[in-house]
């Protein structure tokens, strides 16, 4: 954002103290992360996960029933999973109209789960172009929802950084205006992206 504002602008000058506060917060966060990775608690976690990974089927009994995913063809399992993930997204359609941050974030998570499942299981089906079209449509929707969520996150971080004694109202106001404008643009594009997603081919269907 500072680059967009230009080096000589009033906003760029106002952003500088906030950028310094952000860098300091990042340094503290990295120090905390390094301290945790070097702690006994993290070491015990890694050893426990390693021990769990040595168990057959992660400790689940080896009996494979008719409904066990490991006993099913990949395409059959993927079809059920993709149908369920897509139905979940469509059930969250009302959240798109509501436009609230929490509702849109939930829809974004549902879109992410569907997209990753679609991309992972696409090779199990013969319809490569249809799978790519499906993944592209949900990726566009996910990116727009991510734009809205990133704006809300940026404003929340700025609010935390400006809670200390020296507030930066000019910078906070500039960021609020910039992220709000991007949010409005993303929200305006969501209906068309949703329509494209609904029309995207369901490549897991048998022709």
């Amino acid at each position: 954002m500072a680059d967009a504002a230009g080096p000589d602008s009033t906003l760029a000058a106002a952003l500088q103290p906030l950028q310094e506060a952000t860098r300091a917060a990042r340094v503290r966060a990295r120090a905390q992360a390094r301290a945790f990775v070097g702690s006994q608690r993290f070491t015990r976690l890694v050893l426990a996960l390693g021990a769990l990974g040595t168990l057959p089927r992660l400790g689940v009994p080896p009996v494979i029933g008719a409904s066990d995913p490991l006993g099913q063809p990949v395409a059959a399992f993927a079809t059920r999973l993709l149908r369920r993930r897509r139905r979940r997204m469509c059930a969250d359609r009302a959240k798109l109209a509501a436009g609230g941050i929490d509702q849109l974030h939930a829809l974004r998570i549902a879109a992410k789960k569907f997209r990753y499942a679609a991309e992972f299981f696409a090779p199990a089906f013969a319809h490569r172009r249809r799978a790519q079209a499906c993944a592209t449509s949900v990726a566009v929707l996910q990116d727009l929802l991510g734009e809205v969520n990133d704006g809300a996150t940026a404003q929340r971080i700025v609010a935390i950084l400006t809670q200390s004694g020296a507030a930066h109202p000019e910078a906070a106001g500039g960021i609020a205006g910039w992220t709000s404008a991007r949010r409005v643009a993303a929200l305006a594009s969501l209906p068309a992206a949703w329509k494209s997603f609904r029309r995207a081919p369901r490549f897991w269907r048998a022709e």
Side-chain angles (χ1 to χ4, degrees), residues 72-200:
Q72 303 170 15
V74 172
F77 172 77
T79 295
R80 281 190 289 274
L81 176 65
L82 292 169
R83 284 175 179 169
R84 186 169 67 250
R85 293 278 168 87
R86 189 179 186 279
R87 281 198 299 267
R88 175 61 185 272
M89 282 189 64
C90 293
D92 287 344
R93 171 65 176 84
K95 296 177 180 178
L96 188 66
I101 294 299
D102 292 339
Q103 291 85 354
L104 293 178
H105 180 62
L107 181 58
R108 173 174 168 264
I109 296 301
K112 180 170 66 172
K113 290 181 178 180
F114 174 77
R115 175 189 173 185
Y116 292 166
E119 291 177 343
F120 182 82
F121 287 110
F125 300 90
H127 314 295
R128 183 176 61 85
R129 290 184 178 179
R130 295 176 64 201
Q132 184 175 4
C134 178
T136 299
S137 70
V138 74
V140 171
L141 183 63
Q142 183 185 345
D143 287 345
L144 291 172
L145 292 168
E147 187 75 49
V148 175
N149 185 72
D150 290 346
T153 301
Q155 293 192 25
R156 186 167 61 251
I157 292 174
V158 169
I160 293 173
L161 292 175
T162 56
Q163 281 177 355
S164 57
H168 311 291
E170 297 87 356
I175 292 176
W178 184 68
T179 55
S180 294
R182 293 176 68 90
R183 178 178 182 273
V184 169
L187 288 174
S189 302
L190 277 177
W194 179 263
K195 185 178 294 185
S196 177
F197 161 70
R198 290 298 303 268
R199 291 178 177 175

Side-chain angles (χ1 to χ4, degrees), residues 24-96:
R26 185 165 58 242
V27 169
R28 290 193 299 270
R30 287 177 175 173
Q32 292 173 355
R34 286 194 295 268
F36 176 71
V37 170
S39 67
Q40 292 183 357
R41 181 182 176 189
F42 182 78
T43 301
R44 287 195 297 268
L45 174 63
V46 172
L47 292 175
L49 290 175
L52 181 62
T54 63
L55 298 176
R57 291 171 50 89
L58 299 180
V60 178
V63 177
I64 299 179
S67 61
D68 193 313
L70 294 181
Q72 303 170 15
V74 172
F77 172 77
T79 295
R80 281 190 289 274
L81 176 65
L82 292 169
R83 284 175 179 169
R84 186 169 67 250
R85 293 278 168 87
R86 189 179 186 279
R87 281 198 299 267
R88 175 61 185 272
M89 282 189 64
C90 293
D92 287 344
R93 171 65 176 84
K95 296 177 180 178
L96 188 66

